[in-house]
């Protein structure tokens, strides 16, 4: 069960504009409540008109890669104009709600609480890039809130482009943008090599804009309140707020909207009960405590430790847990999730996962650690060699773990483990994996 830490009470746009949260109402808002709070989507009646505001706002994607949104909008709009000249059809927009990262809860919650904000964003981007087709891509069956929102909007004729819902398979790669386009085109949700980028040639060959659902919700607010409003929180170079899914030492998931630049210690806690932070989820980076305690939630600060905020998954691993066991379990999952289409995933990730499993057990061969460091090292067996970012993200997670949990590796080499010092319950998994996934090394057999 996910709790929401900072929901906004009903109170209209002025209150909303004043501070946080911007995106999360206290309870699911139907169309009536949404229109009372925000009014209708502010169409500009001109393709491309919103792009300058989005550029001035500094909005970046909230799906993980943090790419500037205006650049993708402009690329798809430009490609669309070229097609129109050749009378070859129109562009496509996709709201990506796959949330394929197992630890993330923010997109599902946003779609439950504020579906109309996401749908406004989808319609506004459709206008901005001249799209004739809009898709909503979800990893679970669409909930009642989203179905009701679509029906209510259709009844009032609010949407200019019809929205098609497609369900993603519950796989880690299903939310990657080329996998999204493949799935929407009726194929398997597997990534493919780029170029061409989907913004040039995506669904059915049409220039396709894929944006995370949270990105679209921010865009819907920027269209209403403007770039200066958006920049009222955040840092000068990384403006705005972001939804985070936070695991404090109690292991429960909380979704919280945080200003970019917020000290991580206020979100995660940094007391003696915390041994390390994980920032950016399972393609993210482990940060050592207390060395990283002064860091803030922005890529400029996180970058000092080679980390990035990603899709906002933040976890504080408590002292009584074994980081090595957690990392071995998640890496095994990531290796199993790879499509096995490319060399690094086929040959590299299973070996890395097996080596980590050996380190997480009692004692290991010295060669195993040497091999593991080599395989997961920069530009070695895995990095930069796949069709998608999955192998790179996985080795980033592993590399940081090898550095942060070095003392635990030594402890295991001597036949000890932090978790066993603290009673049997501490062996229960801390980092979540999808239901049905093995929870211990023995479960995999
Ligand atoms: C392995 C992998 C999984 C991804 N899963 C998601 C996802 O579930 N949801 C999402 O919005 N983006 C996901 N992304 C990022 C998308 O490829 C894409 O960059 C994003 O949807 C673009 O939206 P944004 O610019 O608004 O963030 C994933 C990327 C990778 C490499
Ligand atoms: S790099 Fe790995 S996950 Fe990505 S497409 Fe290739 S095999 Fe699949």
């Amino acid at each position: 069960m996910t709790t929401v830490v900072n929901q906004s009470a009903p109170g209209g746009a002025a209150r909303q504009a004043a501070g946080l949260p911007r995106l999360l109402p206290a309870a699911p808002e139907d169309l009536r409540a949404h229109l009372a709070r925000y009014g209708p989507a502010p169409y500009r009646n001109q393709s491309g008109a919103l792009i300058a505001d989005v550029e001035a706002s500094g909005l970046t994607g909230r799906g993980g890669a943090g790419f500037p949104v205006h650049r993708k909008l402009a690329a798809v709009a430009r490609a669309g104009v070229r097609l129109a000249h050749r009378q070859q059809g129109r562009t496509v927009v996709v709201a990506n709600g796959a949330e394929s990262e197992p630890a993330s809860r923010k997109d599902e919650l946003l779609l439950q609480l504020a579906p109309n904000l996401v749908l406004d964003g989808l319609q506004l981007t459709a206008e901005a890039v001249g799209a004739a087709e809009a898709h909503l891509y979800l990893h679970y069956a669409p909930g009642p809130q989203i179905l009701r929102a679509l029906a209510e909007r259709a009844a009032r004729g609010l949407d200019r482009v019809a929205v098609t819902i497609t369900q993603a398979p519950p796989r880690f790669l299903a939310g990657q943008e080329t996998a999204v386009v493949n799935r929407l085109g009726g194929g398997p949700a597997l990534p493919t090599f780029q170029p061409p980028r989907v913004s040039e040639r995506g669904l059915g060959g049409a220039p396709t804009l894929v944006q995370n659902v949270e990105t679209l919700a921010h865009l819907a607010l920027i269209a209403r309140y403007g770039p200066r409003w958006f920049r009222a929180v955040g840092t000068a170079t990384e403006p705005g707020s972001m939804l985070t899914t936070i695991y404090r030492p109690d292991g429960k998931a909380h979704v919280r909207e945080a200003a970019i630049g917020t000290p991580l210690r206020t979100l995660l806690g940094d007391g003696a009960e915390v041994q390390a932070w994980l920032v950016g989820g399972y393609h993210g980076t482990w940060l050592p405590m207390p060395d990283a305690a002064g860091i803030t939630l922005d890529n400029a600060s996180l970058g000092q430790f080679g980390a990035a905020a990603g899709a906002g998954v933040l976890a504080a691993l408590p002292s009584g847990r074994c980081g090595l066991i957690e990392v071995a379990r998640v890496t095994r999952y990531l290796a199993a999730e790879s499509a096995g289409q490319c060399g690094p995933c086929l040959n590299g990730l299973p070996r890395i996962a097996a080596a980590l499993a050996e380190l997480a057990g009692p004692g290991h061969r010295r060669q195993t650690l040497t091999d593991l460091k080599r395989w997961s090292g920069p530009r070695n067996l895995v990095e930069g060699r796949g069709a998608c970012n999955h192998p790179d993200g996985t080795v980033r997670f592993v590399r940081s773990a090898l550095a942060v949990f070095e003392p635990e590796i030594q402890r295991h080499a001597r036949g000890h483990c932090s978790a066993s010092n603290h009673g049997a319950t501490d062996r229960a998994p801390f980092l979540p994996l999808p239901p049905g996934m093995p929870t211990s090394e023995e479960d995999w057999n």
Side-chain angles (χ1 to χ4, degrees), residues 59-69 72 94-101 104 106-107 137 139 171-180 191 194 209-216 283 310-311 334 388-391 393:
L59 177 65
T60 53
R62 301 299 196 243
F67 194 77
V69 176
K72 279 196 340 198
V94 181
N96 190 353
E99 197 155 43
S100 54
E101 161 83 53
S104 182
K106 56 135 185 141
D107 290 339
Y137 182 68
H139 90 161
R171 304 300 301 258
F172 191 80
L173 298 170
Q176 196 272 349
E177 67 179 1
T178 58
V180 174
Q194 302 187 72
L209 179 80
V210 180
Q211 298 286 180
N212 173 255
V213 288
E214 183 195 340
T215 312
L216 293 172
H283 275 180
L334 292 171
C388 80
N389 193 32
H390 182 55

Side-chain angles (χ1 to χ4, degrees), residues 52 59 70 127 142 237 260 343 424 442:
L59 177 65
H70 76 275
E127 183 188 49
T237 50
I260 295 180
E442 297 80 56

